[in-house]
Amino acid sequence: MRTDAARNRAAILDATRELIAEPGELKLSAVAKRAGIGQGTLYRHFATRDELVGALYEQEIDELVERAHLLLEQHSPLEALERWFDQLAGYARVKGGVINAVESSVWADISAHTHTKLGRALNELLSAGAAAGVLRTDLDPRDVILLSWFLAHVQPEEWDDRVPRLLDVLLQGMQSTGIRS
């Protein structure tokens, strides 16, 4: 991809990330305007709104996966998981907008493709924590995905107060201290 095309694609995805979190329907004309490009440029990259939103969702998942690897290189397993949960919370805000913006049949395709990647990243975090003796050994990635679904149900006005507390409860429940597994 040419440099200007890559720059335009990144600007489109950044604009979509910002706009999708706002109330109301995601309009492609608003995305183009926010990205500082013409609508023709937007349509050359993404022919439909579903295609655009799917690309944003996949990018978010890829960033979560990459973040898991980097965090494990830089931090203890427990701290890596805690920091990864912070990233997951930010992703959940985008995911809520994605779910609202995409047709249910398209969502099923997007979701099936990305859950495998997310599961691998979670498995790496959980395995490192279990090996270090700080996380329960009876957890698997699907457990964490199911437990973290609360993020999709937190209202925007309560996000800043409620999400850190709930993530802390989740993380404490995953720790091995006093747990027989």
PDB file of all heavy atoms in Angstrom, residues 63-91:
ATOM      1  N   GLU A  63      -4.703  -5.261  18.069  1.00  0.00           N
ATOM      2  CA  GLU A  63      -3.980  -4.461  19.051  1.00  0.00           C
ATOM      3  C   GLU A  63      -4.015  -5.123  20.427  1.00  0.00           C
ATOM      4  O   GLU A  63      -3.020  -5.090  21.159  1.00  0.00           O
ATOM      5  CB  GLU A  63      -4.552  -3.044  19.106  1.00  0.00           C
ATOM      6  CG  GLU A  63      -4.215  -2.229  17.873  1.00  0.00           C
ATOM      7  CD  GLU A  63      -4.934  -0.884  17.809  1.00  0.00           C
ATOM      8  OE1 GLU A  63      -5.628  -0.511  18.789  1.00  0.00           O
ATOM      9  OE2 GLU A  63      -4.815  -0.208  16.778  1.00  0.00           O
ATOM     10  N   LEU A  64      -5.150  -5.719  20.785  1.00  0.00           N
ATOM     11  CA  LEU A  64      -5.240  -6.439  22.062  1.00  0.00           C
ATOM     12  C   LEU A  64      -4.278  -7.628  22.094  1.00  0.00           C
ATOM     13  O   LEU A  64      -3.620  -7.876  23.107  1.00  0.00           O
ATOM     14  CB  LEU A  64      -6.664  -6.945  22.289  1.00  0.00           C
ATOM     15  CG  LEU A  64      -7.656  -5.996  22.928  1.00  0.00           C
ATOM     16  CD1 LEU A  64      -9.062  -6.595  22.887  1.00  0.00           C
ATOM     17  CD2 LEU A  64      -7.259  -5.670  24.347  1.00  0.00           C
ATOM     18  N   VAL A  65      -4.207  -8.355  21.007  1.00  0.00           N
ATOM     19  CA  VAL A  65      -3.315  -9.516  20.925  1.00  0.00           C
ATOM     20  C   VAL A  65      -1.863  -9.067  21.041  1.00  0.00           C
ATOM     21  O   VAL A  65      -1.093  -9.618  21.821  1.00  0.00           O
ATOM     22  CB  VAL A  65      -3.561 -10.295  19.613  1.00  0.00           C
ATOM     23  CG1 VAL A  65      -2.485 -11.345  19.377  1.00  0.00           C
ATOM     24  CG2 VAL A  65      -4.945 -10.935  19.627  1.00  0.00           C
ATOM     25  N   GLU A  66      -1.500  -8.054  20.286  1.00  0.00           N
ATOM     26  CA  GLU A  66      -0.126  -7.548  20.329  1.00  0.00           C
ATOM     27  C   GLU A  66       0.210  -7.014  21.722  1.00  0.00           C
ATOM     28  O   GLU A  66       1.300  -7.234  22.243  1.00  0.00           O
ATOM     29  CB  GLU A  66       0.048  -6.437  19.291  1.00  0.00           C
ATOM     30  CG  GLU A  66       1.455  -5.892  19.224  1.00  0.00           C
ATOM     31  CD  GLU A  66       1.595  -4.811  18.162  1.00  0.00           C
ATOM     32  OE1 GLU A  66       0.903  -4.872  17.134  1.00  0.00           O
ATOM     33  OE2 GLU A  66       2.414  -3.899  18.391  1.00  0.00           O
ATOM     34  N   ARG A  67      -0.743  -6.351  22.319  1.00  0.00           N
ATOM     35  CA  ARG A  67      -0.537  -5.786  23.656  1.00  0.00           C
ATOM     36  C   ARG A  67      -0.265  -6.886  24.688  1.00  0.00           C
ATOM     37  O   ARG A  67       0.563  -6.711  25.581  1.00  0.00           O
ATOM     38  CB  ARG A  67      -1.768  -4.967  24.056  1.00  0.00           C
ATOM     39  CG  ARG A  67      -1.642  -4.265  25.343  1.00  0.00           C
ATOM     40  CD  ARG A  67      -1.087  -2.875  25.117  1.00  0.00           C
ATOM     41  NE  ARG A  67      -1.212  -2.142  26.361  1.00  0.00           N
ATOM     42  CZ  ARG A  67      -0.246  -1.425  26.861  1.00  0.00           C
ATOM     43  NH1 ARG A  67       0.883  -1.305  26.217  1.00  0.00           N
ATOM     44  NH2 ARG A  67      -0.405  -0.796  27.988  1.00  0.00           N
ATOM     45  N   ALA A  68      -0.935  -8.022  24.568  1.00  0.00           N
ATOM     46  CA  ALA A  68      -0.707  -9.130  25.507  1.00  0.00           C
ATOM     47  C   ALA A  68       0.754  -9.573  25.465  1.00  0.00           C
ATOM     48  O   ALA A  68       1.385  -9.756  26.509  1.00  0.00           O
ATOM     49  CB  ALA A  68      -1.635 -10.301  25.179  1.00  0.00           C
ATOM     50  N   HIS A  69       1.293  -9.719  24.265  1.00  0.00           N
ATOM     51  CA  HIS A  69       2.693 -10.146  24.117  1.00  0.00           C
ATOM     52  C   HIS A  69       3.646  -9.115  24.728  1.00  0.00           C
ATOM     53  O   HIS A  69       4.551  -9.470  25.476  1.00  0.00           O
ATOM     54  CB  HIS A  69       3.048 -10.362  22.648  1.00  0.00           C
ATOM     55  CG  HIS A  69       2.216 -11.372  21.952  1.00  0.00           C
ATOM     56  ND1 HIS A  69       2.119 -12.692  22.356  1.00  0.00           N
ATOM     57  CD2 HIS A  69       1.410 -11.258  20.870  1.00  0.00           C
ATOM     58  CE1 HIS A  69       1.304 -13.343  21.558  1.00  0.00           C
ATOM     59  NE2 HIS A  69       0.860 -12.500  20.653  1.00  0.00           N
ATOM     60  N   LEU A  70       3.427  -7.857  24.405  1.00  0.00           N
ATOM     61  CA  LEU A  70       4.309  -6.803  24.905  1.00  0.00           C
ATOM     62  C   LEU A  70       4.244  -6.689  26.427  1.00  0.00           C
ATOM     63  O   LEU A  70       5.278  -6.518  27.085  1.00  0.00           O
ATOM     64  CB  LEU A  70       3.927  -5.456  24.271  1.00  0.00           C
ATOM     65  CG  LEU A  70       4.188  -5.316  22.779  1.00  0.00           C
ATOM     66  CD1 LEU A  70       3.598  -4.011  22.246  1.00  0.00           C
ATOM     67  CD2 LEU A  70       5.674  -5.387  22.483  1.00  0.00           C
ATOM     68  N   LEU A  71       3.046  -6.762  26.971  1.00  0.00           N
ATOM     69  CA  LEU A  71       2.906  -6.646  28.422  1.00  0.00           C
ATOM     70  C   LEU A  71       3.622  -7.776  29.152  1.00  0.00           C
ATOM     71  O   LEU A  71       4.225  -7.554  30.207  1.00  0.00           O
ATOM     72  CB  LEU A  71       1.430  -6.594  28.800  1.00  0.00           C
ATOM     73  CG  LEU A  71       0.717  -5.287  28.443  1.00  0.00           C
ATOM     74  CD1 LEU A  71      -0.790  -5.435  28.622  1.00  0.00           C
ATOM     75  CD2 LEU A  71       1.257  -4.129  29.281  1.00  0.00           C
ATOM     76  N   LEU A  72       3.553  -8.979  28.619  1.00  0.00           N
ATOM     77  CA  LEU A  72       4.243 -10.105  29.258  1.00  0.00           C
ATOM     78  C   LEU A  72       5.758  -9.952  29.194  1.00  0.00           C
ATOM     79  O   LEU A  72       6.471 -10.427  30.068  1.00  0.00           O
ATOM     80  CB  LEU A  72       3.812 -11.430  28.627  1.00  0.00           C
ATOM     81  CG  LEU A  72       2.456 -11.937  29.093  1.00  0.00           C
ATOM     82  CD1 LEU A  72       2.011 -13.126  28.256  1.00  0.00           C
ATOM     83  CD2 LEU A  72       2.497 -12.304  30.577  1.00  0.00           C
ATOM     84  N   GLU A  73       6.250  -9.279  28.170  1.00  0.00           N
ATOM     85  CA  GLU A  73       7.688  -9.030  28.073  1.00  0.00           C
ATOM     86  C   GLU A  73       8.143  -7.970  29.078  1.00  0.00           C
ATOM     87  O   GLU A  73       9.284  -7.998  29.528  1.00  0.00           O
ATOM     88  CB  GLU A  73       8.052  -8.561  26.659  1.00  0.00           C
ATOM     89  CG  GLU A  73       7.923  -9.641  25.605  1.00  0.00           C
ATOM     90  CD  GLU A  73       8.138  -9.103  24.190  1.00  0.00           C
ATOM     91  OE1 GLU A  73       8.425  -7.900  24.014  1.00  0.00           O
ATOM     92  OE2 GLU A  73       8.006  -9.908  23.249  1.00  0.00           O
ATOM     93  N   GLN A  74       7.249  -7.047  29.423  1.00  0.00           N
ATOM     94  CA  GLN A  74       7.629  -5.894  30.232  1.00  0.00           C
ATOM     95  C   GLN A  74       7.217  -5.963  31.700  1.00  0.00           C
ATOM     96  O   GLN A  74       7.730  -5.194  32.513  1.00  0.00           O
ATOM     97  CB  GLN A  74       7.022  -4.620  29.616  1.00  0.00           C
ATOM     98  CG  GLN A  74       7.477  -4.359  28.216  1.00  0.00           C
ATOM     99  CD  GLN A  74       6.664  -3.265  27.529  1.00  0.00           C
ATOM    100  OE1 GLN A  74       5.682  -2.767  28.069  1.00  0.00           O
ATOM    101  NE2 GLN A  74       7.076  -2.885  26.330  1.00  0.00           N
ATOM    102  N   HIS A  75       6.285  -6.862  32.054  1.00  0.00           N
ATOM    103  CA  HIS A  75       5.725  -6.861  33.402  1.00  0.00           C
ATOM    104  C   HIS A  75       5.564  -8.279  33.926  1.00  0.00           C
ATOM    105  O   HIS A  75       5.588  -9.246  33.166  1.00  0.00           O
ATOM    106  CB  HIS A  75       4.350  -6.170  33.407  1.00  0.00           C
ATOM    107  CG  HIS A  75       4.376  -4.773  32.881  1.00  0.00           C
ATOM    108  ND1 HIS A  75       4.833  -3.707  33.615  1.00  0.00           N
ATOM    109  CD2 HIS A  75       4.018  -4.271  31.677  1.00  0.00           C
ATOM    110  CE1 HIS A  75       4.753  -2.600  32.893  1.00  0.00           C
ATOM    111  NE2 HIS A  75       4.257  -2.918  31.710  1.00  0.00           N
ATOM    112  N   SER A  76       5.328  -8.367  35.218  1.00  0.00           N
ATOM    113  CA  SER A  76       5.001  -9.658  35.815  1.00  0.00           C
ATOM    114  C   SER A  76       3.674 -10.131  35.217  1.00  0.00           C
ATOM    115  O   SER A  76       2.893  -9.313  34.712  1.00  0.00           O
ATOM    116  CB  SER A  76       4.864  -9.517  37.329  1.00  0.00           C
ATOM    117  OG  SER A  76       3.695  -8.773  37.642  1.00  0.00           O
ATOM    118  N   PRO A  77       3.406 -11.438  35.261  1.00  0.00           N
ATOM    119  CA  PRO A  77       2.151 -11.934  34.673  1.00  0.00           C
ATOM    120  C   PRO A  77       0.893 -11.271  35.231  1.00  0.00           C
ATOM    121  O   PRO A  77      -0.020 -10.934  34.466  1.00  0.00           O
ATOM    122  CB  PRO A  77       2.169 -13.431  34.994  1.00  0.00           C
ATOM    123  CG  PRO A  77       3.615 -13.769  35.066  1.00  0.00           C
ATOM    124  CD  PRO A  77       4.259 -12.553  35.692  1.00  0.00           C
ATOM    125  N   LEU A  78       0.835 -11.035  36.523  1.00  0.00           N
ATOM    126  CA  LEU A  78      -0.352 -10.429  37.120  1.00  0.00           C
ATOM    127  C   LEU A  78      -0.508  -8.973  36.692  1.00  0.00           C
ATOM    128  O   LEU A  78      -1.596  -8.530  36.324  1.00  0.00           O
ATOM    129  CB  LEU A  78      -0.297 -10.529  38.649  1.00  0.00           C
ATOM    130  CG  LEU A  78      -1.580 -10.196  39.384  1.00  0.00           C
ATOM    131  CD1 LEU A  78      -2.725 -11.092  38.928  1.00  0.00           C
ATOM    132  CD2 LEU A  78      -1.369 -10.341  40.889  1.00  0.00           C
ATOM    133  N   GLU A  79       0.582  -8.229  36.695  1.00  0.00           N
ATOM    134  CA  GLU A  79       0.523  -6.841  36.257  1.00  0.00           C
ATOM    135  C   GLU A  79       0.209  -6.767  34.759  1.00  0.00           C
ATOM    136  O   GLU A  79      -0.531  -5.888  34.315  1.00  0.00           O
ATOM    137  CB  GLU A  79       1.829  -6.105  36.560  1.00  0.00           C
ATOM    138  CG  GLU A  79       1.723  -4.616  36.263  1.00  0.00           C
ATOM    139  CD  GLU A  79       2.958  -3.826  36.672  1.00  0.00           C
ATOM    140  OE1 GLU A  79       3.781  -4.343  37.455  1.00  0.00           O
ATOM    141  OE2 GLU A  79       3.088  -2.691  36.197  1.00  0.00           O
ATOM    142  N   ALA A  80       0.761  -7.682  33.987  1.00  0.00           N
ATOM    143  CA  ALA A  80       0.462  -7.714  32.545  1.00  0.00           C
ATOM    144  C   ALA A  80      -1.029  -7.929  32.314  1.00  0.00           C
ATOM    145  O   ALA A  80      -1.643  -7.242  31.483  1.00  0.00           O
ATOM    146  CB  ALA A  80       1.280  -8.812  31.857  1.00  0.00           C
ATOM    147  N   LEU A  81      -1.615  -8.859  33.050  1.00  0.00           N
ATOM    148  CA  LEU A  81      -3.050  -9.118  32.899  1.00  0.00           C
ATOM    149  C   LEU A  81      -3.872  -7.910  33.331  1.00  0.00           C
ATOM    150  O   LEU A  81      -4.835  -7.536  32.658  1.00  0.00           O
ATOM    151  CB  LEU A  81      -3.452 -10.354  33.707  1.00  0.00           C
ATOM    152  CG  LEU A  81      -4.910 -10.798  33.563  1.00  0.00           C
ATOM    153  CD1 LEU A  81      -5.234 -11.152  32.120  1.00  0.00           C
ATOM    154  CD2 LEU A  81      -5.183 -11.988  34.474  1.00  0.00           C
ATOM    155  N   GLU A  82      -3.482  -7.277  34.418  1.00  0.00           N
ATOM    156  CA  GLU A  82      -4.205  -6.090  34.891  1.00  0.00           C
ATOM    157  C   GLU A  82      -4.155  -4.975  33.848  1.00  0.00           C
ATOM    158  O   GLU A  82      -5.177  -4.355  33.536  1.00  0.00           O
ATOM    159  CB  GLU A  82      -3.597  -5.603  36.202  1.00  0.00           C
ATOM    160  CG  GLU A  82      -4.335  -4.429  36.806  1.00  0.00           C
ATOM    161  CD  GLU A  82      -3.766  -4.030  38.162  1.00  0.00           C
ATOM    162  OE1 GLU A  82      -2.710  -4.554  38.581  1.00  0.00           O
ATOM    163  OE2 GLU A  82      -4.396  -3.186  38.805  1.00  0.00           O
ATOM    164  N   ARG A  83      -3.000  -4.730  33.286  1.00  0.00           N
ATOM    165  CA  ARG A  83      -2.863  -3.693  32.246  1.00  0.00           C
ATOM    166  C   ARG A  83      -3.616  -4.089  30.976  1.00  0.00           C
ATOM    167  O   ARG A  83      -4.175  -3.243  30.292  1.00  0.00           O
ATOM    168  CB  ARG A  83      -1.389  -3.436  31.946  1.00  0.00           C
ATOM    169  CG  ARG A  83      -0.686  -2.722  33.076  1.00  0.00           C
ATOM    170  CD  ARG A  83       0.816  -2.620  32.806  1.00  0.00           C
ATOM    171  NE  ARG A  83       1.496  -1.975  33.883  1.00  0.00           N
ATOM    172  CZ  ARG A  83       2.010  -0.736  33.809  1.00  0.00           C
ATOM    173  NH1 ARG A  83       1.908  -0.046  32.700  1.00  0.00           N
ATOM    174  NH2 ARG A  83       2.614  -0.217  34.846  1.00  0.00           N
ATOM    175  N   TRP A  84      -3.628  -5.373  30.679  1.00  0.00           N
ATOM    176  CA  TRP A  84      -4.349  -5.852  29.501  1.00  0.00           C
ATOM    177  C   TRP A  84      -5.847  -5.645  29.690  1.00  0.00           C
ATOM    178  O   TRP A  84      -6.545  -5.281  28.756  1.00  0.00           O
ATOM    179  CB  TRP A  84      -4.013  -7.315  29.242  1.00  0.00           C
ATOM    180  CG  TRP A  84      -4.509  -7.803  27.924  1.00  0.00           C
ATOM    181  CD1 TRP A  84      -3.902  -7.639  26.704  1.00  0.00           C
ATOM    182  CD2 TRP A  84      -5.708  -8.545  27.671  1.00  0.00           C
ATOM    183  NE1 TRP A  84      -4.650  -8.231  25.719  1.00  0.00           N
ATOM    184  CE2 TRP A  84      -5.767  -8.795  26.279  1.00  0.00           C
ATOM    185  CE3 TRP A  84      -6.728  -9.019  28.485  1.00  0.00           C
ATOM    186  CZ2 TRP A  84      -6.809  -9.485  25.695  1.00  0.00           C
ATOM    187  CZ3 TRP A  84      -7.770  -9.714  27.897  1.00  0.00           C
ATOM    188  CH2 TRP A  84      -7.806  -9.940  26.517  1.00  0.00           C
ATOM    189  N   PHE A  85      -6.330  -5.857  30.908  1.00  0.00           N
ATOM    190  CA  PHE A  85      -7.748  -5.598  31.192  1.00  0.00           C
ATOM    191  C   PHE A  85      -8.105  -4.131  30.956  1.00  0.00           C
ATOM    192  O   PHE A  85      -9.199  -3.822  30.482  1.00  0.00           O
ATOM    193  CB  PHE A  85      -8.108  -5.997  32.618  1.00  0.00           C
ATOM    194  CG  PHE A  85      -8.429  -7.450  32.800  1.00  0.00           C
ATOM    195  CD1 PHE A  85      -8.352  -8.028  34.053  1.00  0.00           C
ATOM    196  CD2 PHE A  85      -8.817  -8.258  31.740  1.00  0.00           C
ATOM    197  CE1 PHE A  85      -8.659  -9.371  34.249  1.00  0.00           C
ATOM    198  CE2 PHE A  85      -9.113  -9.597  31.914  1.00  0.00           C
ATOM    199  CZ  PHE A  85      -9.042 -10.146  33.173  1.00  0.00           C
ATOM    200  N   ASP A  86      -7.196  -3.218  31.277  1.00  0.00           N
ATOM    201  CA  ASP A  86      -7.444  -1.799  30.982  1.00  0.00           C
ATOM    202  C   ASP A  86      -7.636  -1.584  29.487  1.00  0.00           C
ATOM    203  O   ASP A  86      -8.517  -0.852  29.053  1.00  0.00           O
ATOM    204  CB  ASP A  86      -6.290  -0.930  31.491  1.00  0.00           C
ATOM    205  CG  ASP A  86      -6.238  -0.831  33.004  1.00  0.00           C
ATOM    206  OD1 ASP A  86      -7.274  -1.088  33.668  1.00  0.00           O
ATOM    207  OD2 ASP A  86      -5.157  -0.500  33.531  1.00  0.00           O
ATOM    208  N   GLN A  87      -6.794  -2.242  28.699  1.00  0.00           N
ATOM    209  CA  GLN A  87      -6.912  -2.155  27.241  1.00  0.00           C
ATOM    210  C   GLN A  87      -8.228  -2.789  26.784  1.00  0.00           C
ATOM    211  O   GLN A  87      -8.907  -2.270  25.901  1.00  0.00           O
ATOM    212  CB  GLN A  87      -5.727  -2.869  26.584  1.00  0.00           C
ATOM    213  CG  GLN A  87      -5.708  -2.807  25.079  1.00  0.00           C
ATOM    214  CD  GLN A  87      -4.905  -1.650  24.566  1.00  0.00           C
ATOM    215  OE1 GLN A  87      -4.106  -1.079  25.267  1.00  0.00           O
ATOM    216  NE2 GLN A  87      -5.126  -1.294  23.316  1.00  0.00           N
ATOM    217  N   LEU A  88      -8.592  -3.899  27.392  1.00  0.00           N
ATOM    218  CA  LEU A  88      -9.842  -4.584  27.066  1.00  0.00           C
ATOM    219  C   LEU A  88     -11.042  -3.676  27.321  1.00  0.00           C
ATOM    220  O   LEU A  88     -11.985  -3.649  26.535  1.00  0.00           O
ATOM    221  CB  LEU A  88      -9.967  -5.879  27.872  1.00  0.00           C
ATOM    222  CG  LEU A  88     -11.233  -6.698  27.657  1.00  0.00           C
ATOM    223  CD1 LEU A  88     -11.255  -7.275  26.234  1.00  0.00           C
ATOM    224  CD2 LEU A  88     -11.322  -7.820  28.683  1.00  0.00           C
ATOM    225  N   ALA A  89     -10.987  -2.913  28.389  1.00  0.00           N
ATOM    226  CA  ALA A  89     -12.090  -1.995  28.695  1.00  0.00           C
ATOM    227  C   ALA A  89     -12.239  -0.941  27.599  1.00  0.00           C
ATOM    228  O   ALA A  89     -13.352  -0.634  27.171  1.00  0.00           O
ATOM    229  CB  ALA A  89     -11.867  -1.339  30.052  1.00  0.00           C
ATOM    230  N   GLY A  90     -11.124  -0.415  27.121  1.00  0.00           N
ATOM    231  CA  GLY A  90     -11.184   0.546  26.014  1.00  0.00           C
ATOM    232  C   GLY A  90     -11.746  -0.085  24.753  1.00  0.00           C
ATOM    233  O   GLY A  90     -12.555   0.511  24.027  1.00  0.00           O
ATOM    234  N   TYR A  91     -11.359  -1.300  24.506  1.00  0.00           N
ATOM    235  CA  TYR A  91     -11.867  -2.048  23.359  1.00  0.00           C
ATOM    236  C   TYR A  91     -13.372  -2.282  23.486  1.00  0.00           C
ATOM    237  O   TYR A  91     -14.105  -2.214  22.513  1.00  0.00           O
ATOM    238  CB  TYR A  91     -11.098  -3.364  23.259  1.00  0.00           C
ATOM    239  CG  TYR A  91     -11.861  -4.504  22.680  1.00  0.00           C
ATOM    240  CD1 TYR A  91     -12.033  -4.629  21.307  1.00  0.00           C
ATOM    241  CD2 TYR A  91     -12.417  -5.478  23.501  1.00  0.00           C
ATOM    242  CE1 TYR A  91     -12.744  -5.684  20.785  1.00  0.00           C
ATOM    243  CE2 TYR A  91     -13.119  -6.533  22.981  1.00  0.00           C
ATOM    244  CZ  TYR A  91     -13.284  -6.631  21.619  1.00  0.00           C
ATOM    245  OH  TYR A  91     -13.998  -7.676  21.116  1.00  0.00           O
TER     246      TYR A  91
END
